[in-house]
Amino acid sequence: MIGRMAAAANEVSTSGLVDTKQSRPARRREWPEERKRQMVAETLEAGSSVSIVARRHDVNANQLFKGRRETLPKESPAMTEGGGTMLPVGFIEIEFGCGARVCIRGEVAPATLRRVIELLR
């Protein structure tokens, strides 16, 4: 009995330090392309969350974001004259203190929008 206790004592850390190294490195899971596309498609559904889809499939959310970057078409944002980047927006409404209101649908040249705003100030 004392021999078994001595052997067990050698297996348990008494210093509070625990060796967490695994005997072999963990392998990354490989997903079939169809499965990756399905998970990415779920993240694009209205009201969906990448985090929730990731948890549902037991994957890291960063993997889904990477999958989205790899599978979705690259969009080039429109550049403004000042060098900043404008992202595509479907609808813009601007209400001025004087009561004037501007509603914009679709694409408008930045210079045109700037001129309209200057005129309504």
PDB file of all heavy atoms in Angstrom, residues 41-79:
ATOM      1  N   ALA A  41     -22.012  30.657 -45.613  1.00  0.00           N
ATOM      2  CA  ALA A  41     -23.342  31.087 -46.062  1.00  0.00           C
ATOM      3  C   ALA A  41     -24.259  31.362 -44.878  1.00  0.00           C
ATOM      4  O   ALA A  41     -25.047  32.314 -44.902  1.00  0.00           O
ATOM      5  CB  ALA A  41     -23.950  30.025 -46.975  1.00  0.00           C
ATOM      6  N   GLU A  42     -24.156  30.577 -43.829  1.00  0.00           N
ATOM      7  CA  GLU A  42     -24.972  30.799 -42.633  1.00  0.00           C
ATOM      8  C   GLU A  42     -24.658  32.145 -41.991  1.00  0.00           C
ATOM      9  O   GLU A  42     -25.539  32.789 -41.433  1.00  0.00           O
ATOM     10  CB  GLU A  42     -24.767  29.679 -41.617  1.00  0.00           C
ATOM     11  CG  GLU A  42     -25.407  28.382 -42.010  1.00  0.00           C
ATOM     12  CD  GLU A  42     -25.185  27.295 -40.969  1.00  0.00           C
ATOM     13  OE1 GLU A  42     -25.129  27.606 -39.759  1.00  0.00           O
ATOM     14  OE2 GLU A  42     -25.061  26.127 -41.376  1.00  0.00           O
ATOM     15  N   THR A  43     -23.393  32.587 -42.081  1.00  0.00           N
ATOM     16  CA  THR A  43     -23.022  33.873 -41.476  1.00  0.00           C
ATOM     17  C   THR A  43     -23.583  35.042 -42.264  1.00  0.00           C
ATOM     18  O   THR A  43     -23.653  36.151 -41.748  1.00  0.00           O
ATOM     19  CB  THR A  43     -21.488  34.036 -41.373  1.00  0.00           C
ATOM     20  OG1 THR A  43     -20.923  34.133 -42.686  1.00  0.00           O
ATOM     21  CG2 THR A  43     -20.860  32.912 -40.596  1.00  0.00           C
ATOM     22  N   LEU A  44     -23.977  34.819 -43.519  1.00  0.00           N
ATOM     23  CA  LEU A  44     -24.481  35.894 -44.369  1.00  0.00           C
ATOM     24  C   LEU A  44     -25.997  36.052 -44.302  1.00  0.00           C
ATOM     25  O   LEU A  44     -26.540  36.993 -44.864  1.00  0.00           O
ATOM     26  CB  LEU A  44     -24.056  35.642 -45.821  1.00  0.00           C
ATOM     27  CG  LEU A  44     -22.548  35.565 -46.044  1.00  0.00           C
ATOM     28  CD1 LEU A  44     -22.250  35.167 -47.472  1.00  0.00           C
ATOM     29  CD2 LEU A  44     -21.892  36.888 -45.703  1.00  0.00           C
ATOM     30  N   GLU A  45     -26.678  35.132 -43.626  1.00  0.00           N
ATOM     31  CA  GLU A  45     -28.129  35.213 -43.516  1.00  0.00           C
ATOM     32  C   GLU A  45     -28.516  36.410 -42.650  1.00  0.00           C
ATOM     33  O   GLU A  45     -27.794  36.780 -41.726  1.00  0.00           O
ATOM     34  CB  GLU A  45     -28.693  33.926 -42.906  1.00  0.00           C
ATOM     35  CG  GLU A  45     -28.524  32.721 -43.799  1.00  0.00           C
ATOM     36  CD  GLU A  45     -28.931  31.425 -43.112  1.00  0.00           C
ATOM     37  OE1 GLU A  45     -29.422  31.463 -41.969  1.00  0.00           O
ATOM     38  OE2 GLU A  45     -28.747  30.376 -43.747  1.00  0.00           O
ATOM     39  N   ALA A  46     -29.668  37.000 -42.955  1.00  0.00           N
ATOM     40  CA  ALA A  46     -30.142  38.167 -42.206  1.00  0.00           C
ATOM     41  C   ALA A  46     -30.266  37.825 -40.722  1.00  0.00           C
ATOM     42  O   ALA A  46     -30.813  36.784 -40.360  1.00  0.00           O
ATOM     43  CB  ALA A  46     -31.486  38.616 -42.763  1.00  0.00           C
ATOM     44  N   GLY A  47     -29.737  38.692 -39.876  1.00  0.00           N
ATOM     45  CA  GLY A  47     -29.824  38.518 -38.437  1.00  0.00           C
ATOM     46  C   GLY A  47     -28.861  37.502 -37.855  1.00  0.00           C
ATOM     47  O   GLY A  47     -28.887  37.217 -36.668  1.00  0.00           O
ATOM     48  N   SER A  48     -27.999  36.949 -38.693  1.00  0.00           N
ATOM     49  CA  SER A  48     -27.072  35.927 -38.207  1.00  0.00           C
ATOM     50  C   SER A  48     -25.840  36.565 -37.576  1.00  0.00           C
ATOM     51  O   SER A  48     -25.526  37.715 -37.829  1.00  0.00           O
ATOM     52  CB  SER A  48     -26.704  35.007 -39.369  1.00  0.00           C
ATOM     53  OG  SER A  48     -25.355  34.916 -39.567  1.00  0.00           O
ATOM     54  N   SER A  49     -25.152  35.810 -36.742  1.00  0.00           N
ATOM     55  CA  SER A  49     -23.940  36.267 -36.066  1.00  0.00           C
ATOM     56  C   SER A  49     -22.840  35.243 -36.316  1.00  0.00           C
ATOM     57  O   SER A  49     -23.064  34.042 -36.171  1.00  0.00           O
ATOM     58  CB  SER A  49     -24.219  36.382 -34.565  1.00  0.00           C
ATOM     59  OG  SER A  49     -23.033  36.345 -33.833  1.00  0.00           O
ATOM     60  N   VAL A  50     -21.670  35.733 -36.678  1.00  0.00           N
ATOM     61  CA  VAL A  50     -20.540  34.836 -36.922  1.00  0.00           C
ATOM     62  C   VAL A  50     -20.233  34.033 -35.660  1.00  0.00           C
ATOM     63  O   VAL A  50     -19.978  32.833 -35.726  1.00  0.00           O
ATOM     64  CB  VAL A  50     -19.293  35.617 -37.394  1.00  0.00           C
ATOM     65  CG1 VAL A  50     -18.077  34.711 -37.469  1.00  0.00           C
ATOM     66  CG2 VAL A  50     -19.554  36.256 -38.753  1.00  0.00           C
ATOM     67  N   SER A  51     -20.293  34.673 -34.501  1.00  0.00           N
ATOM     68  CA  SER A  51     -19.993  33.979 -33.242  1.00  0.00           C
ATOM     69  C   SER A  51     -20.962  32.833 -32.987  1.00  0.00           C
ATOM     70  O   SER A  51     -20.555  31.738 -32.583  1.00  0.00           O
ATOM     71  CB  SER A  51     -20.063  34.946 -32.065  1.00  0.00           C
ATOM     72  OG  SER A  51     -19.140  35.974 -32.236  1.00  0.00           O
ATOM     73  N   ILE A  52     -22.242  33.074 -33.219  1.00  0.00           N
ATOM     74  CA  ILE A  52     -23.242  32.033 -32.978  1.00  0.00           C
ATOM     75  C   ILE A  52     -23.070  30.879 -33.959  1.00  0.00           C
ATOM     76  O   ILE A  52     -23.134  29.712 -33.574  1.00  0.00           O
ATOM     77  CB  ILE A  52     -24.661  32.628 -33.049  1.00  0.00           C
ATOM     78  CG1 ILE A  52     -24.869  33.569 -31.863  1.00  0.00           C
ATOM     79  CG2 ILE A  52     -25.719  31.537 -33.072  1.00  0.00           C
ATOM     80  CD1 ILE A  52     -26.136  34.385 -31.926  1.00  0.00           C
ATOM     81  N   VAL A  53     -22.829  31.204 -35.231  1.00  0.00           N
ATOM     82  CA  VAL A  53     -22.613  30.139 -36.232  1.00  0.00           C
ATOM     83  C   VAL A  53     -21.375  29.339 -35.859  1.00  0.00           C
ATOM     84  O   VAL A  53     -21.373  28.106 -35.942  1.00  0.00           O
ATOM     85  CB  VAL A  53     -22.486  30.737 -37.652  1.00  0.00           C
ATOM     86  CG1 VAL A  53     -22.085  29.675 -38.660  1.00  0.00           C
ATOM     87  CG2 VAL A  53     -23.797  31.403 -38.068  1.00  0.00           C
ATOM     88  N   ALA A  54     -20.321  30.012 -35.407  1.00  0.00           N
ATOM     89  CA  ALA A  54     -19.082  29.322 -35.021  1.00  0.00           C
ATOM     90  C   ALA A  54     -19.345  28.358 -33.869  1.00  0.00           C
ATOM     91  O   ALA A  54     -18.905  27.206 -33.901  1.00  0.00           O
ATOM     92  CB  ALA A  54     -18.007  30.336 -34.654  1.00  0.00           C
ATOM     93  N   ARG A  55     -20.075  28.830 -32.856  1.00  0.00           N
ATOM     94  CA  ARG A  55     -20.381  27.950 -31.719  1.00  0.00           C
ATOM     95  C   ARG A  55     -21.227  26.760 -32.138  1.00  0.00           C
ATOM     96  O   ARG A  55     -21.011  25.649 -31.672  1.00  0.00           O
ATOM     97  CB  ARG A  55     -21.090  28.735 -30.621  1.00  0.00           C
ATOM     98  CG  ARG A  55     -20.107  29.483 -29.746  1.00  0.00           C
ATOM     99  CD  ARG A  55     -20.802  30.195 -28.637  1.00  0.00           C
ATOM    100  NE  ARG A  55     -20.877  31.581 -29.082  1.00  0.00           N
ATOM    101  CZ  ARG A  55     -21.770  32.458 -28.702  1.00  0.00           C
ATOM    102  NH1 ARG A  55     -22.700  32.129 -27.859  1.00  0.00           N
ATOM    103  NH2 ARG A  55     -21.759  33.678 -29.146  1.00  0.00           N
ATOM    104  N   ARG A  56     -22.184  27.006 -33.034  1.00  0.00           N
ATOM    105  CA  ARG A  56     -23.062  25.928 -33.485  1.00  0.00           C
ATOM    106  C   ARG A  56     -22.260  24.813 -34.168  1.00  0.00           C
ATOM    107  O   ARG A  56     -22.560  23.646 -34.041  1.00  0.00           O
ATOM    108  CB  ARG A  56     -24.104  26.488 -34.452  1.00  0.00           C
ATOM    109  CG  ARG A  56     -25.137  25.480 -34.871  1.00  0.00           C
ATOM    110  CD  ARG A  56     -26.202  26.040 -35.805  1.00  0.00           C
ATOM    111  NE  ARG A  56     -26.539  27.421 -35.542  1.00  0.00           N
ATOM    112  CZ  ARG A  56     -26.677  28.356 -36.485  1.00  0.00           C
ATOM    113  NH1 ARG A  56     -26.512  28.045 -37.765  1.00  0.00           N
ATOM    114  NH2 ARG A  56     -26.992  29.588 -36.179  1.00  0.00           N
ATOM    115  N   HIS A  57     -21.196  25.194 -34.889  1.00  0.00           N
ATOM    116  CA  HIS A  57     -20.387  24.210 -35.619  1.00  0.00           C
ATOM    117  C   HIS A  57     -19.100  23.844 -34.883  1.00  0.00           C
ATOM    118  O   HIS A  57     -18.261  23.127 -35.427  1.00  0.00           O
ATOM    119  CB  HIS A  57     -20.063  24.734 -37.020  1.00  0.00           C
ATOM    120  CG  HIS A  57     -21.263  24.835 -37.896  1.00  0.00           C
ATOM    121  ND1 HIS A  57     -21.826  23.738 -38.498  1.00  0.00           N
ATOM    122  CD2 HIS A  57     -22.023  25.896 -38.250  1.00  0.00           C
ATOM    123  CE1 HIS A  57     -22.873  24.123 -39.207  1.00  0.00           C
ATOM    124  NE2 HIS A  57     -23.015  25.430 -39.071  1.00  0.00           N
ATOM    125  N   ASP A  58     -18.924  24.371 -33.669  1.00  0.00           N
ATOM    126  CA  ASP A  58     -17.746  24.090 -32.855  1.00  0.00           C
ATOM    127  C   ASP A  58     -16.449  24.456 -33.573  1.00  0.00           C
ATOM    128  O   ASP A  58     -15.516  23.668 -33.665  1.00  0.00           O
ATOM    129  CB  ASP A  58     -17.728  22.610 -32.426  1.00  0.00           C
ATOM    130  CG  ASP A  58     -16.685  22.345 -31.348  1.00  0.00           C
ATOM    131  OD1 ASP A  58     -16.425  23.270 -30.544  1.00  0.00           O
ATOM    132  OD2 ASP A  58     -16.129  21.235 -31.319  1.00  0.00           O
ATOM    133  N   VAL A  59     -16.425  25.681 -34.131  1.00  0.00           N
ATOM    134  CA  VAL A  59     -15.212  26.216 -34.755  1.00  0.00           C
ATOM    135  C   VAL A  59     -14.942  27.593 -34.156  1.00  0.00           C
ATOM    136  O   VAL A  59     -15.809  28.205 -33.555  1.00  0.00           O
ATOM    137  CB  VAL A  59     -15.328  26.329 -36.293  1.00  0.00           C
ATOM    138  CG1 VAL A  59     -15.548  24.985 -36.930  1.00  0.00           C
ATOM    139  CG2 VAL A  59     -16.414  27.296 -36.695  1.00  0.00           C
ATOM    140  N   ASN A  60     -13.749  28.076 -34.348  1.00  0.00           N
ATOM    141  CA  ASN A  60     -13.370  29.395 -33.877  1.00  0.00           C
ATOM    142  C   ASN A  60     -13.950  30.442 -34.831  1.00  0.00           C
ATOM    143  O   ASN A  60     -13.906  30.268 -36.045  1.00  0.00           O
ATOM    144  CB  ASN A  60     -11.843  29.492 -33.838  1.00  0.00           C
ATOM    145  CG  ASN A  60     -11.374  30.759 -33.194  1.00  0.00           C
ATOM    146  OD1 ASN A  60     -11.663  31.847 -33.667  1.00  0.00           O
ATOM    147  ND2 ASN A  60     -10.622  30.617 -32.113  1.00  0.00           N
ATOM    148  N   ALA A  61     -14.481  31.538 -34.293  1.00  0.00           N
ATOM    149  CA  ALA A  61     -15.073  32.590 -35.126  1.00  0.00           C
ATOM    150  C   ALA A  61     -14.052  33.137 -36.119  1.00  0.00           C
ATOM    151  O   ALA A  61     -14.407  33.482 -37.252  1.00  0.00           O
ATOM    152  CB  ALA A  61     -15.619  33.710 -34.254  1.00  0.00           C
ATOM    153  N   ASN A  62     -12.775  33.192 -35.731  1.00  0.00           N
ATOM    154  CA  ASN A  62     -11.743  33.688 -36.652  1.00  0.00           C
ATOM    155  C   ASN A  62     -11.635  32.817 -37.895  1.00  0.00           C
ATOM    156  O   ASN A  62     -11.322  33.303 -38.980  1.00  0.00           O
ATOM    157  CB  ASN A  62     -10.389  33.768 -35.952  1.00  0.00           C
ATOM    158  CG  ASN A  62     -10.344  34.894 -34.943  1.00  0.00           C
ATOM    159  OD1 ASN A  62     -11.039  35.890 -35.083  1.00  0.00           O
ATOM    160  ND2 ASN A  62      -9.539  34.728 -33.917  1.00  0.00           N
ATOM    161  N   GLN A  63     -11.899  31.517 -37.748  1.00  0.00           N
ATOM    162  CA  GLN A  63     -11.863  30.634 -38.909  1.00  0.00           C
ATOM    163  C   GLN A  63     -12.978  31.000 -39.883  1.00  0.00           C
ATOM    164  O   GLN A  63     -12.783  30.964 -41.094  1.00  0.00           O
ATOM    165  CB  GLN A  63     -12.011  29.175 -38.476  1.00  0.00           C
ATOM    166  CG  GLN A  63     -10.802  28.654 -37.719  1.00  0.00           C
ATOM    167  CD  GLN A  63     -11.053  27.272 -37.171  1.00  0.00           C
ATOM    168  OE1 GLN A  63     -11.990  27.055 -36.412  1.00  0.00           O
ATOM    169  NE2 GLN A  63     -10.216  26.334 -37.571  1.00  0.00           N
ATOM    170  N   LEU A  64     -14.145  31.359 -39.353  1.00  0.00           N
ATOM    171  CA  LEU A  64     -15.252  31.753 -40.234  1.00  0.00           C
ATOM    172  C   LEU A  64     -14.970  33.094 -40.908  1.00  0.00           C
ATOM    173  O   LEU A  64     -15.281  33.275 -42.083  1.00  0.00           O
ATOM    174  CB  LEU A  64     -16.564  31.815 -39.463  1.00  0.00           C
ATOM    175  CG  LEU A  64     -17.192  30.467 -39.153  1.00  0.00           C
ATOM    176  CD1 LEU A  64     -18.489  30.637 -38.389  1.00  0.00           C
ATOM    177  CD2 LEU A  64     -17.450  29.684 -40.418  1.00  0.00           C
ATOM    178  N   PHE A  65     -14.384  34.035 -40.169  1.00  0.00           N
ATOM    179  CA  PHE A  65     -14.038  35.306 -40.793  1.00  0.00           C
ATOM    180  C   PHE A  65     -13.018  35.083 -41.914  1.00  0.00           C
ATOM    181  O   PHE A  65     -13.116  35.686 -42.984  1.00  0.00           O
ATOM    182  CB  PHE A  65     -13.476  36.294 -39.762  1.00  0.00           C
ATOM    183  CG  PHE A  65     -14.531  36.965 -38.940  1.00  0.00           C
ATOM    184  CD1 PHE A  65     -14.599  36.739 -37.575  1.00  0.00           C
ATOM    185  CD2 PHE A  65     -15.463  37.806 -39.516  1.00  0.00           C
ATOM    186  CE1 PHE A  65     -15.579  37.358 -36.806  1.00  0.00           C
ATOM    187  CE2 PHE A  65     -16.444  38.424 -38.766  1.00  0.00           C
ATOM    188  CZ  PHE A  65     -16.505  38.195 -37.399  1.00  0.00           C
ATOM    189  N   LYS A  66     -12.055  34.214 -41.689  1.00  0.00           N
ATOM    190  CA  LYS A  66     -11.071  33.897 -42.725  1.00  0.00           C
ATOM    191  C   LYS A  66     -11.759  33.246 -43.921  1.00  0.00           C
ATOM    192  O   LYS A  66     -11.490  33.585 -45.070  1.00  0.00           O
ATOM    193  CB  LYS A  66      -9.996  32.960 -42.169  1.00  0.00           C
ATOM    194  CG  LYS A  66      -8.939  32.615 -43.186  1.00  0.00           C
ATOM    195  CD  LYS A  66      -7.910  31.656 -42.623  1.00  0.00           C
ATOM    196  CE  LYS A  66      -6.921  31.286 -43.706  1.00  0.00           C
ATOM    197  NZ  LYS A  66      -6.158  30.125 -43.391  1.00  0.00           N
ATOM    198  N   GLY A  67     -12.683  32.323 -43.642  1.00  0.00           N
ATOM    199  CA  GLY A  67     -13.430  31.678 -44.715  1.00  0.00           C
ATOM    200  C   GLY A  67     -14.234  32.676 -45.533  1.00  0.00           C
ATOM    201  O   GLY A  67     -14.321  32.577 -46.756  1.00  0.00           O
ATOM    202  N   ARG A  68     -14.811  33.669 -44.853  1.00  0.00           N
ATOM    203  CA  ARG A  68     -15.570  34.709 -45.567  1.00  0.00           C
ATOM    204  C   ARG A  68     -14.646  35.514 -46.476  1.00  0.00           C
ATOM    205  O   ARG A  68     -14.987  35.801 -47.618  1.00  0.00           O
ATOM    206  CB  ARG A  68     -16.261  35.639 -44.568  1.00  0.00           C
ATOM    207  CG  ARG A  68     -17.457  35.010 -43.911  1.00  0.00           C
ATOM    208  CD  ARG A  68     -17.959  35.786 -42.724  1.00  0.00           C
ATOM    209  NE  ARG A  68     -18.192  37.185 -42.971  1.00  0.00           N
ATOM    210  CZ  ARG A  68     -19.335  37.820 -42.709  1.00  0.00           C
ATOM    211  NH1 ARG A  68     -20.345  37.160 -42.205  1.00  0.00           N
ATOM    212  NH2 ARG A  68     -19.463  39.102 -42.940  1.00  0.00           N
ATOM    213  N   ARG A  69     -13.457  35.871 -45.967  1.00  0.00           N
ATOM    214  CA  ARG A  69     -12.507  36.629 -46.799  1.00  0.00           C
ATOM    215  C   ARG A  69     -12.079  35.823 -48.012  1.00  0.00           C
ATOM    216  O   ARG A  69     -11.892  36.369 -49.092  1.00  0.00           O
ATOM    217  CB  ARG A  69     -11.274  37.015 -45.982  1.00  0.00           C
ATOM    218  CG  ARG A  69     -11.490  38.166 -45.040  1.00  0.00           C
ATOM    219  CD  ARG A  69     -10.170  38.666 -44.474  1.00  0.00           C
ATOM    220  NE  ARG A  69      -9.353  37.648 -43.853  1.00  0.00           N
ATOM    221  CZ  ARG A  69      -9.435  37.272 -42.581  1.00  0.00           C
ATOM    222  NH1 ARG A  69     -10.324  37.836 -41.787  1.00  0.00           N
ATOM    223  NH2 ARG A  69      -8.635  36.358 -42.094  1.00  0.00           N
ATOM    224  N   GLU A  70     -11.911  34.529 -47.840  1.00  0.00           N
ATOM    225  CA  GLU A  70     -11.442  33.680 -48.936  1.00  0.00           C
ATOM    226  C   GLU A  70     -12.526  33.401 -49.971  1.00  0.00           C
ATOM    227  O   GLU A  70     -12.217  33.239 -51.142  1.00  0.00           O
ATOM    228  CB  GLU A  70     -10.927  32.348 -48.376  1.00  0.00           C
ATOM    229  CG  GLU A  70      -9.651  32.490 -47.590  1.00  0.00           C
ATOM    230  CD  GLU A  70      -9.239  31.199 -46.901  1.00  0.00           C
ATOM    231  OE1 GLU A  70     -10.053  30.249 -46.869  1.00  0.00           O
ATOM    232  OE2 GLU A  70      -8.113  31.146 -46.388  1.00  0.00           O
ATOM    233  N   THR A  71     -13.788  33.311 -49.548  1.00  0.00           N
ATOM    234  CA  THR A  71     -14.836  32.897 -50.480  1.00  0.00           C
ATOM    235  C   THR A  71     -15.662  34.031 -51.057  1.00  0.00           C
ATOM    236  O   THR A  71     -16.206  33.889 -52.143  1.00  0.00           O
ATOM    237  CB  THR A  71     -15.813  31.898 -49.812  1.00  0.00           C
ATOM    238  OG1 THR A  71     -16.395  32.520 -48.672  1.00  0.00           O
ATOM    239  CG2 THR A  71     -15.101  30.637 -49.396  1.00  0.00           C
ATOM    240  N   LEU A  72     -15.771  35.154 -50.347  1.00  0.00           N
ATOM    241  CA  LEU A  72     -16.583  36.247 -50.854  1.00  0.00           C
ATOM    242  C   LEU A  72     -15.806  37.069 -51.868  1.00  0.00           C
ATOM    243  O   LEU A  72     -14.595  37.222 -51.755  1.00  0.00           O
ATOM    244  CB  LEU A  72     -17.041  37.144 -49.702  1.00  0.00           C
ATOM    245  CG  LEU A  72     -17.959  36.468 -48.687  1.00  0.00           C
ATOM    246  CD1 LEU A  72     -18.297  37.437 -47.570  1.00  0.00           C
ATOM    247  CD2 LEU A  72     -19.225  35.975 -49.348  1.00  0.00           C
ATOM    248  N   PRO A  73     -16.517  37.619 -52.862  1.00  0.00           N
ATOM    249  CA  PRO A  73     -15.820  38.439 -53.862  1.00  0.00           C
ATOM    250  C   PRO A  73     -15.244  39.697 -53.220  1.00  0.00           C
ATOM    251  O   PRO A  73     -15.821  40.252 -52.299  1.00  0.00           O
ATOM    252  CB  PRO A  73     -16.922  38.790 -54.869  1.00  0.00           C
ATOM    253  CG  PRO A  73     -18.203  38.576 -54.152  1.00  0.00           C
ATOM    254  CD  PRO A  73     -17.942  37.547 -53.091  1.00  0.00           C
ATOM    255  N   LYS A  74     -14.111  40.100 -53.720  1.00  0.00           N
ATOM    256  CA  LYS A  74     -13.450  41.295 -53.214  1.00  0.00           C
ATOM    257  C   LYS A  74     -14.156  42.517 -53.781  1.00  0.00           C
ATOM    258  O   LYS A  74     -14.378  42.628 -54.962  1.00  0.00           O
ATOM    259  CB  LYS A  74     -11.975  41.336 -53.633  1.00  0.00           C
ATOM    260  CG  LYS A  74     -11.197  40.084 -53.297  1.00  0.00           C
ATOM    261  CD  LYS A  74     -10.920  40.003 -51.817  1.00  0.00           C
ATOM    262  CE  LYS A  74     -10.067  38.829 -51.455  1.00  0.00           C
ATOM    263  NZ  LYS A  74     -10.736  37.623 -51.132  1.00  0.00           N
ATOM    264  N   GLU A  75     -14.518  43.451 -52.874  1.00  0.00           N
ATOM    265  CA  GLU A  75     -15.138  44.693 -53.303  1.00  0.00           C
ATOM    266  C   GLU A  75     -14.127  45.811 -53.125  1.00  0.00           C
ATOM    267  O   GLU A  75     -13.473  45.903 -52.102  1.00  0.00           O
ATOM    268  CB  GLU A  75     -16.377  44.996 -52.469  1.00  0.00           C
ATOM    269  CG  GLU A  75     -17.496  44.018 -52.693  1.00  0.00           C
ATOM    270  CD  GLU A  75     -18.729  44.380 -51.888  1.00  0.00           C
ATOM    271  OE1 GLU A  75     -18.823  45.528 -51.401  1.00  0.00           O
ATOM    272  OE2 GLU A  75     -19.593  43.523 -51.748  1.00  0.00           O
ATOM    273  N   SER A  76     -14.027  46.652 -54.130  1.00  0.00           N
ATOM    274  CA  SER A  76     -13.123  47.788 -53.986  1.00  0.00           C
ATOM    275  C   SER A  76     -13.957  49.009 -53.634  1.00  0.00           C
ATOM    276  O   SER A  76     -14.793  49.445 -54.415  1.00  0.00           O
ATOM    277  CB  SER A  76     -12.348  48.026 -55.278  1.00  0.00           C
ATOM    278  OG  SER A  76     -13.250  48.232 -56.337  1.00  0.00           O
ATOM    279  N   PRO A  77     -13.759  49.555 -52.428  1.00  0.00           N
ATOM    280  CA  PRO A  77     -14.520  50.732 -52.028  1.00  0.00           C
ATOM    281  C   PRO A  77     -14.169  51.933 -52.889  1.00  0.00           C
ATOM    282  O   PRO A  77     -13.041  52.054 -53.363  1.00  0.00           O
ATOM    283  CB  PRO A  77     -14.108  50.964 -50.579  1.00  0.00           C
ATOM    284  CG  PRO A  77     -13.052  49.994 -50.252  1.00  0.00           C
ATOM    285  CD  PRO A  77     -12.844  49.091 -51.426  1.00  0.00           C
ATOM    286  N   ALA A  78     -15.152  52.822 -53.101  1.00  0.00           N
ATOM    287  CA  ALA A  78     -14.925  54.027 -53.896  1.00  0.00           C
ATOM    288  C   ALA A  78     -14.002  54.968 -53.138  1.00  0.00           C
ATOM    289  O   ALA A  78     -14.149  55.163 -51.945  1.00  0.00           O
ATOM    290  CB  ALA A  78     -16.262  54.709 -54.174  1.00  0.00           C
ATOM    291  N   MET A  79     -13.065  55.537 -53.829  1.00  0.00           N
ATOM    292  CA  MET A  79     -12.154  56.490 -53.201  1.00  0.00           C
ATOM    293  C   MET A  79     -12.702  57.901 -53.369  1.00  0.00           C
ATOM    294  O   MET A  79     -13.175  58.268 -54.428  1.00  0.00           O
ATOM    295  CB  MET A  79     -10.767  56.413 -53.852  1.00  0.00           C
ATOM    296  CG  MET A  79     -10.022  55.122 -53.588  1.00  0.00           C
ATOM    297  SD  MET A  79      -9.703  54.841 -51.853  1.00  0.00           S
ATOM    298  CE  MET A  79      -8.478  56.076 -51.539  1.00  0.00           C
TER     299      MET A  79
END
